[in-house]
Amino acid sequence: MNCCKSLFLRACIAGILLTGTGLQVVNAQNQSGKSSPKPDDRRTPSEKLAAKKFDFRRKVYQNLVTRYNYYYNAKLKLENTLKGIQQQQLENYNKLLPFYPYTIESLNLSENELDSVIQKGSLAVQLHDPRGKWIDDCYLLIGKAYFYKRDWENANSTFRYINTVFAPKPKKKKRDDGYETIVGKQQDDRMTIASKEKRKGFFGRFKHKLARNDAFMWQVKTYLEEGKYDEAQALLNVLEADPNFPTRLTPFMNEIKAYGLYKRERYAESIEPLRIAIEGSHDKQQKARMSYILGQLYMTQKRADSAMAYFRDVIRLKPEPMMDFHARLEIARANIAASGGTVEESIGALQRMLRKENFIPYRDVIYYNMGAIASGSNAEAAIDFWQKGLKVESTNLMQRTLTYKAIADLQYRQRNFLEARRWYDSTASIMGEGFADADEVNARKNVLGDIAAKISLIHKEDSLQRIAALSETERNALLEKTVRDIQRQERQKEQAEKNEEMRSNNANNLPFNPNLNRYNNGIMSPQEGSGDWYFYNPASKASGFAEFRRRWGNRKPTDNWRRSQTGVVPDMATQLPTAPDSSATPGELASAVIERTPADSLTADILRTALPLTPELLAQSRERQMDAWYELGKLYHDQLDNYPDAIASWDTLLMRYPQHPKRAEIAYSLYVWNNKINRADRGNPYKNIVLTEFPNTNFAGLIRSGGAINDASSETKKAVAALYGDAYTAFREGRYEEVKAKKQLADSLYGFSYLQPKFDLLMAMTTVKTGTDDEGKAAIQAVINKYPSDDVILGQATDIMNVLSRKQEIVGYLSNLQTTVNRDSTGKIDENITIRYPWQTPKPNLVDSAAIQKAAADSIAAAQLKNVPPPPPAKPVTPYKLTDEKSATSTPHFVVMSFKRVDKTLLDEALAQFARYNADKHAADKIEASSFVLTPTELMLIFRLFPGEEQAFKYYDEVRKEATTTIVPRIRPSEYSFFIISRENFILLNSTKDIEGYLKFFKESYYTE
């Protein structure tokens, strides 16, 4: 009612003022009659008004209209925009809350809304008298809008403009220097820049506030968001000592000081200014939030009693329900650490909250906190509480995510990695984009399966080695007992499956009762049991969809949706028959056989095949275990940044296998990792190992220079990188003396730098260019010996050494290479180049007359001898068989391209070229090309699948002719050969690995051109 009276009064005043102004205009027009046209005035309305006298009537009118027509609406729009963002924000109360109920980085504010605020404020400034007292407030609103748009430049400019233009002005005549504005002055031997506000007494509190002082505070906030902490602190220091700074802004100043420290994670220092800000704050919502944050900070400082006091203050301020609820939870948590508190008391308090009706929507959160409290002393009880929380119906996906992650973290700490991976996978499926621990969840989800596999392999090999070390009698008894246990477990599993199937069948055969509530949790409620089909009932569909989303999150409607990584199951009908891996050891093959053997067919003899009973098998078992320990340490360090477990893995590796081929790398890494977690005393023994046993390695040089422990500054790294870039450029341009000079300069200025391996390789390449062949090989070999664990440098140096070893062969090849260019009118030179490789040039068939004469004489002598034919050679024994003529047309065949030497480059190029050729020439035949490793020295391409022998021969004849000229002309014909093989013979070939035997069988059994 009072508000309506106030608005009515303001409207009357405005009407009177407008009426008076209108009468003046009419009288002026009547007196002047017809006036001459006025000159064009391009000034803005505010500039025109500034030229007029600012009397009492104009002052009242301008202030009234500016405030309620523009400033009020712009302020209301900005407040509503921020309030909407606060309501959308999902808080994670289990972490330190953001200082404000939003973060500048994730505001996602509408540009149109903020532009509207800026437009309204700008109109107020341009249309109204600049001497009005609400103009500075409009500028302040504009600056705030720019601030929330993250437009720091315009925000800073606006706040500085306010501080300059609206600074206090002298009441007397202009100063001698021509300026009217005083930005700062000395007062009582102190610097003052603030505007003095006269707000004493009862009526003083109703006076207008000067926006200039608020602009100083917002300028500090802008500096903080820009990361200009020194500028922000300097301005705060000046304002804190300013005698004219208004006391009304003291809480706001302490709030900003606390925010700056909190933003930089200087939590202990932010407690005191935050406490002062809470005492003077008049915003109940922000005061409750700051009290909650202060309670959290006290908990991090192990001051549980103070934390409980501030959490109780939060409840007393009656904040939003979620914050009130979490404050009560925090009190229960803090009670454990407080004097006289116990776990049982805290859990009992949370159980009483479960029984209260107003906390029913938050039961999942209560169970989560009960689990968190119990996890320190009783892991099983904690998991039980968390699983109860997951069964509660709730739409709070954030809490569901936290519960999943809590179970995963507990399983991870207990080293149940397979279970942990399953729970991390569930966490990743429903967590939002802004989830704080998303990187950790994804990293652990992806790597824990590999870690579990490595640990399982280590334990398995340990067990096999321990069983193999038993006496034969003990070993046989243990194997027999193991077989019986496996068969008993399998029978129990089958019986449980049968019982479950019987229960399911009995449930499905029950008569339908529409009054029976068989679906409590979503598909059909008692009111919906009308007999309608589920998908015809919109309410049932909506309920089911909500239940699915509550339980499983937002999942795409795809097949295999419950799998963490869905994949396509290949069609094995057209694939090769399953064959054991050619690189598998006998122990691995035996393990694979055991896994495929049904439990009822398992015997002690089958289990015995997996035991390392011979020295060779024992060595292979230890090598697998050694590799697993090595990979486990790398996974812990590289993927999870888990230094303690990485150190434990490699420490065990060195202890069990002291002669490991990578002993230098392992010892150096253990030295570095121990120093990373401040355990230098444990790292020094490994340092001594590197320096004494491997003094000439890269690792010893790093330790001497402190390269990996005392990391170089970014400026030093940039300087070293620039120096290396200059040296590399000089090498490419042939200025080899300059390369040597740059290398010497780097050594003198920076010692052993992080680019030392590259510098050494570049110097070795310079030696290759400037020295003899032997000197070049010696320089490259020195790099190989110095950096055995640097895969990049070692690979490049090894490639260069291979080229140097084949230098004469490469020179001969290039000298015989012939290139011709067919130039035509199109000008596409690249498409008209013909290359004739050396092996495509036929060698001249020179006639040796001496050899002809000798052959003629030999033939005459042979004719004089008795013509006795030699006995026929014995027929070779071979397992390969020809396909009979009846089934030749229906037996699947493959065409094989076998390489004479191991070279992955050749294999990859041939695979790519044949894939392109088949797609172009045999698209309808769907011929597949794939690589196959028969033995470590026998590589081949397999083309499949041909329905019969005739089709395979047709393709065989075709590719033999086209390969040298069209398909792979860059590969020498002497480096590969073609043959065809039936499916059955290929299985035999894969088992015997006798490629020479099959090639002999092929030549003798098939006619080829």
Side-chain angles (χ1 to χ4, degrees), residues 392-421:
V392 173
E393 292 191 14
S394 174
T395 58
N396 188 351
L397 287 181
M398 171 62 77
Q399 183 54 57
R400 197 171 191 83
T401 303
L402 293 173
T403 305
Y404 278 137
K405 185 178 183 296
I407 300 176
D409 289 341
L410 184 58
Q411 298 287 1
Y412 178 79
R413 290 194 298 271
Q414 294 182 337
R415 304 182 69 80
N416 299 326
F417 292 124
L418 286 179
E419 276 295 302
R421 184 188 182 281

Short mmCIF file of all heavy atoms in Angstrom, two decimals, residues 392-421:
data_model
loop_
_atom_site.label_atom_id
_atom_site.label_comp_id
_atom_site.label_asym_id
_atom_site.label_seq_id
_atom_site.Cartn_x
_atom_site.Cartn_y
_atom_site.Cartn_z
N VAL A 392 17.74 -45.35 -3.46
CA VAL A 392 16.74 -44.32 -3.19
C VAL A 392 16.38 -43.61 -4.48
O VAL A 392 17.26 -43.26 -5.28
CB VAL A 392 17.29 -43.31 -2.15
CG1 VAL A 392 16.32 -42.14 -1.99
CG2 VAL A 392 17.52 -43.99 -0.82
N GLU A 393 15.10 -43.40 -4.70
CA GLU A 393 14.65 -42.67 -5.90
C GLU A 393 15.02 -41.20 -5.76
O GLU A 393 14.64 -40.54 -4.79
CB GLU A 393 13.15 -42.83 -6.09
CG GLU A 393 12.72 -44.24 -6.46
CD GLU A 393 11.27 -44.29 -6.88
OE1 GLU A 393 10.71 -43.20 -7.14
OE2 GLU A 393 10.72 -45.38 -6.95
N SER A 394 15.74 -40.69 -6.74
CA SER A 394 16.18 -39.30 -6.70
C SER A 394 16.53 -38.84 -8.10
O SER A 394 16.98 -39.63 -8.93
CB SER A 394 17.39 -39.16 -5.77
OG SER A 394 17.91 -37.85 -5.83
N THR A 395 16.34 -37.57 -8.33
CA THR A 395 16.71 -36.97 -9.61
C THR A 395 18.05 -36.22 -9.50
O THR A 395 18.46 -35.55 -10.44
CB THR A 395 15.63 -35.98 -10.09
OG1 THR A 395 15.45 -34.97 -9.09
CG2 THR A 395 14.32 -36.72 -10.33
N ASN A 396 18.71 -36.33 -8.36
CA ASN A 396 19.97 -35.64 -8.13
C ASN A 396 21.12 -36.45 -8.72
O ASN A 396 21.72 -37.30 -8.06
CB ASN A 396 20.17 -35.43 -6.62
CG ASN A 396 21.36 -34.53 -6.32
OD1 ASN A 396 22.15 -34.19 -7.20
ND2 ASN A 396 21.50 -34.13 -5.07
N LEU A 397 21.43 -36.20 -10.00
CA LEU A 397 22.49 -36.94 -10.66
C LEU A 397 23.87 -36.59 -10.10
O LEU A 397 24.78 -37.43 -10.13
CB LEU A 397 22.47 -36.67 -12.16
CG LEU A 397 21.33 -37.33 -12.95
CD1 LEU A 397 21.45 -36.98 -14.42
CD2 LEU A 397 21.33 -38.83 -12.76
N MET A 398 24.03 -35.38 -9.58
CA MET A 398 25.31 -35.02 -8.98
C MET A 398 25.61 -35.90 -7.77
O MET A 398 26.71 -36.43 -7.62
CB MET A 398 25.29 -33.55 -8.55
CG MET A 398 26.50 -33.13 -7.72
SD MET A 398 28.09 -33.29 -8.58
CE MET A 398 28.01 -31.87 -9.64
N GLN A 399 24.60 -36.11 -6.92
CA GLN A 399 24.81 -36.97 -5.76
C GLN A 399 25.04 -38.42 -6.17
O GLN A 399 25.86 -39.12 -5.58
CB GLN A 399 23.60 -36.88 -4.81
CG GLN A 399 23.77 -37.68 -3.54
CD GLN A 399 25.04 -37.31 -2.80
OE1 GLN A 399 25.25 -36.16 -2.45
NE2 GLN A 399 25.91 -38.28 -2.59
N ARG A 400 24.33 -38.85 -7.19
CA ARG A 400 24.54 -40.22 -7.68
C ARG A 400 25.97 -40.38 -8.20
O ARG A 400 26.63 -41.41 -7.98
CB ARG A 400 23.53 -40.54 -8.77
CG ARG A 400 23.39 -42.02 -9.06
CD ARG A 400 22.22 -42.27 -10.00
NE ARG A 400 21.92 -43.69 -10.07
CZ ARG A 400 21.16 -44.34 -9.19
NH1 ARG A 400 20.63 -43.67 -8.18
NH2 ARG A 400 20.94 -45.63 -9.30
N THR A 401 26.47 -39.38 -8.88
CA THR A 401 27.84 -39.40 -9.37
C THR A 401 28.83 -39.49 -8.22
O THR A 401 29.79 -40.28 -8.25
CB THR A 401 28.12 -38.14 -10.21
OG1 THR A 401 27.18 -38.05 -11.27
CG2 THR A 401 29.52 -38.17 -10.78
N LEU A 402 28.60 -38.69 -7.17
CA LEU A 402 29.50 -38.71 -6.03
C LEU A 402 29.48 -40.06 -5.32
O LEU A 402 30.51 -40.53 -4.84
CB LEU A 402 29.11 -37.59 -5.05
CG LEU A 402 29.31 -36.16 -5.54
CD1 LEU A 402 28.73 -35.17 -4.55
CD2 LEU A 402 30.79 -35.88 -5.75
N THR A 403 28.31 -40.69 -5.24
CA THR A 403 28.22 -41.99 -4.58
C THR A 403 28.96 -43.05 -5.39
O THR A 403 29.71 -43.86 -4.82
CB THR A 403 26.75 -42.39 -4.40
OG1 THR A 403 26.06 -41.35 -3.70
CG2 THR A 403 26.64 -43.68 -3.61
N TYR A 404 28.77 -43.05 -6.69
CA TYR A 404 29.52 -43.98 -7.54
C TYR A 404 31.03 -43.79 -7.34
O TYR A 404 31.78 -44.76 -7.19
CB TYR A 404 29.17 -43.76 -9.01
CG TYR A 404 27.90 -44.44 -9.47
CD1 TYR A 404 27.01 -43.77 -10.30
CD2 TYR A 404 27.62 -45.74 -9.12
CE1 TYR A 404 25.85 -44.39 -10.74
CE2 TYR A 404 26.46 -46.37 -9.56
CZ TYR A 404 25.58 -45.69 -10.37
OH TYR A 404 24.45 -46.32 -10.80
N LYS A 405 31.47 -42.54 -7.34
CA LYS A 405 32.90 -42.28 -7.22
C LYS A 405 33.42 -42.67 -5.84
O LYS A 405 34.56 -43.14 -5.70
CB LYS A 405 33.20 -40.81 -7.49
CG LYS A 405 34.69 -40.51 -7.50
CD LYS A 405 34.98 -39.07 -7.83
CE LYS A 405 36.48 -38.86 -7.90
NZ LYS A 405 37.15 -39.09 -6.61
N ALA A 406 32.59 -42.48 -4.79
CA ALA A 406 33.04 -42.86 -3.45
C ALA A 406 33.30 -44.36 -3.37
O ALA A 406 34.31 -44.81 -2.80
CB ALA A 406 31.99 -42.43 -2.42
N ILE A 407 32.40 -45.16 -3.94
CA ILE A 407 32.60 -46.61 -3.94
C ILE A 407 33.84 -46.96 -4.77
O ILE A 407 34.65 -47.80 -4.37
CB ILE A 407 31.36 -47.33 -4.49
CG1 ILE A 407 30.13 -47.02 -3.62
CG2 ILE A 407 31.58 -48.83 -4.56
CD1 ILE A 407 28.84 -47.61 -4.15
N ALA A 408 33.99 -46.30 -5.92
CA ALA A 408 35.16 -46.58 -6.76
C ALA A 408 36.45 -46.22 -6.04
O ALA A 408 37.44 -46.98 -6.09
CB ALA A 408 35.05 -45.79 -8.07
N ASP A 409 36.47 -45.07 -5.35
CA ASP A 409 37.68 -44.67 -4.63
C ASP A 409 38.03 -45.65 -3.52
O ASP A 409 39.20 -45.96 -3.30
CB ASP A 409 37.50 -43.27 -4.05
CG ASP A 409 37.50 -42.19 -5.11
OD1 ASP A 409 37.98 -42.47 -6.23
OD2 ASP A 409 37.01 -41.08 -4.84
N LEU A 410 37.01 -46.13 -2.80
CA LEU A 410 37.27 -47.09 -1.74
C LEU A 410 37.82 -48.40 -2.30
O LEU A 410 38.77 -48.98 -1.76
CB LEU A 410 35.98 -47.34 -0.95
CG LEU A 410 36.11 -48.27 0.27
CD1 LEU A 410 37.14 -47.73 1.25
CD2 LEU A 410 34.77 -48.45 0.96
N GLN A 411 37.24 -48.87 -3.41
CA GLN A 411 37.75 -50.08 -4.04
C GLN A 411 39.17 -49.86 -4.56
O GLN A 411 40.02 -50.75 -4.52
CB GLN A 411 36.83 -50.51 -5.18
CG GLN A 411 35.41 -50.87 -4.78
CD GLN A 411 35.32 -52.20 -4.06
OE1 GLN A 411 36.32 -52.87 -3.84
NE2 GLN A 411 34.11 -52.57 -3.67
N TYR A 412 39.45 -48.67 -5.04
CA TYR A 412 40.79 -48.35 -5.54
C TYR A 412 41.80 -48.37 -4.40
O TYR A 412 42.91 -48.91 -4.55
CB TYR A 412 40.76 -46.98 -6.22
CG TYR A 412 42.10 -46.51 -6.73
CD1 TYR A 412 42.61 -46.99 -7.93
CD2 TYR A 412 42.85 -45.58 -6.02
CE1 TYR A 412 43.84 -46.56 -8.41
CE2 TYR A 412 44.08 -45.15 -6.49
CZ TYR A 412 44.56 -45.63 -7.68
OH TYR A 412 45.79 -45.21 -8.15
N ARG A 413 41.43 -47.78 -3.25
CA ARG A 413 42.35 -47.79 -2.11
C ARG A 413 42.59 -49.20 -1.59
O ARG A 413 43.68 -49.50 -1.09
CB ARG A 413 41.80 -46.91 -0.99
CG ARG A 413 41.81 -45.42 -1.30
CD ARG A 413 41.59 -44.59 -0.06
NE ARG A 413 40.28 -44.84 0.53
CZ ARG A 413 39.17 -44.18 0.22
NH1 ARG A 413 39.22 -43.22 -0.71
NH2 ARG A 413 38.02 -44.45 0.80
N GLN A 414 41.58 -50.05 -1.71
CA GLN A 414 41.74 -51.44 -1.29
C GLN A 414 42.37 -52.31 -2.38
O GLN A 414 42.49 -53.52 -2.20
CB GLN A 414 40.37 -52.02 -0.89
CG GLN A 414 39.79 -51.36 0.34
CD GLN A 414 38.45 -51.98 0.74
OE1 GLN A 414 37.76 -52.57 -0.09
NE2 GLN A 414 38.09 -51.83 2.01
N ARG A 415 42.73 -51.68 -3.52
CA ARG A 415 43.42 -52.35 -4.63
C ARG A 415 42.56 -53.42 -5.28
O ARG A 415 43.09 -54.37 -5.87
CB ARG A 415 44.76 -52.94 -4.16
CG ARG A 415 45.68 -51.91 -3.51
CD ARG A 415 47.00 -52.50 -3.10
NE ARG A 415 47.79 -52.86 -4.26
CZ ARG A 415 48.51 -51.99 -4.97
NH1 ARG A 415 48.52 -50.71 -4.65
NH2 ARG A 415 49.22 -52.39 -6.01
N ASN A 416 41.25 -53.26 -5.20
CA ASN A 416 40.33 -54.11 -5.97
C ASN A 416 40.09 -53.41 -7.31
O ASN A 416 39.05 -52.79 -7.54
CB ASN A 416 39.02 -54.31 -5.22
CG ASN A 416 39.21 -55.00 -3.89
OD1 ASN A 416 40.09 -55.85 -3.75
ND2 ASN A 416 38.41 -54.63 -2.90
N PHE A 417 41.06 -53.52 -8.22
CA PHE A 417 41.07 -52.65 -9.38
C PHE A 417 39.96 -52.97 -10.38
O PHE A 417 39.43 -52.07 -11.03
CB PHE A 417 42.43 -52.71 -10.06
CG PHE A 417 43.53 -52.11 -9.23
CD1 PHE A 417 44.66 -52.83 -8.91
CD2 PHE A 417 43.42 -50.82 -8.75
CE1 PHE A 417 45.67 -52.28 -8.14
CE2 PHE A 417 44.42 -50.25 -7.98
CZ PHE A 417 45.54 -50.99 -7.67
N LEU A 418 39.60 -54.22 -10.54
CA LEU A 418 38.52 -54.55 -11.47
C LEU A 418 37.19 -53.99 -10.98
O LEU A 418 36.41 -53.44 -11.76
CB LEU A 418 38.44 -56.06 -11.65
CG LEU A 418 39.54 -56.69 -12.52
CD1 LEU A 418 39.36 -58.20 -12.59
CD2 LEU A 418 39.54 -56.10 -13.92
N GLU A 419 36.92 -54.13 -9.68
CA GLU A 419 35.70 -53.54 -9.11
C GLU A 419 35.75 -52.02 -9.21
O GLU A 419 34.75 -51.38 -9.53
CB GLU A 419 35.54 -53.98 -7.66
CG GLU A 419 34.89 -55.33 -7.48
CD GLU A 419 33.44 -55.32 -7.97
OE1 GLU A 419 32.63 -54.52 -7.48
OE2 GLU A 419 33.13 -56.11 -8.87
N ALA A 420 36.90 -51.45 -8.92
CA ALA A 420 37.03 -49.99 -9.00
C ALA A 420 36.77 -49.50 -10.42
O ALA A 420 36.09 -48.49 -10.63
CB ALA A 420 38.43 -49.57 -8.55
N ARG A 421 37.29 -50.24 -11.42
CA ARG A 421 37.07 -49.82 -12.80
C ARG A 421 35.59 -49.85 -13.14
O ARG A 421 35.08 -48.97 -13.84
CB ARG A 421 37.83 -50.76 -13.74
CG ARG A 421 37.72 -50.35 -15.20
CD ARG A 421 38.33 -51.40 -16.12
NE ARG A 421 38.27 -50.98 -17.49
CZ ARG A 421 37.20 -51.03 -18.27
NH1 ARG A 421 36.06 -51.50 -17.78
NH2 ARG A 421 37.23 -50.62 -19.52
#
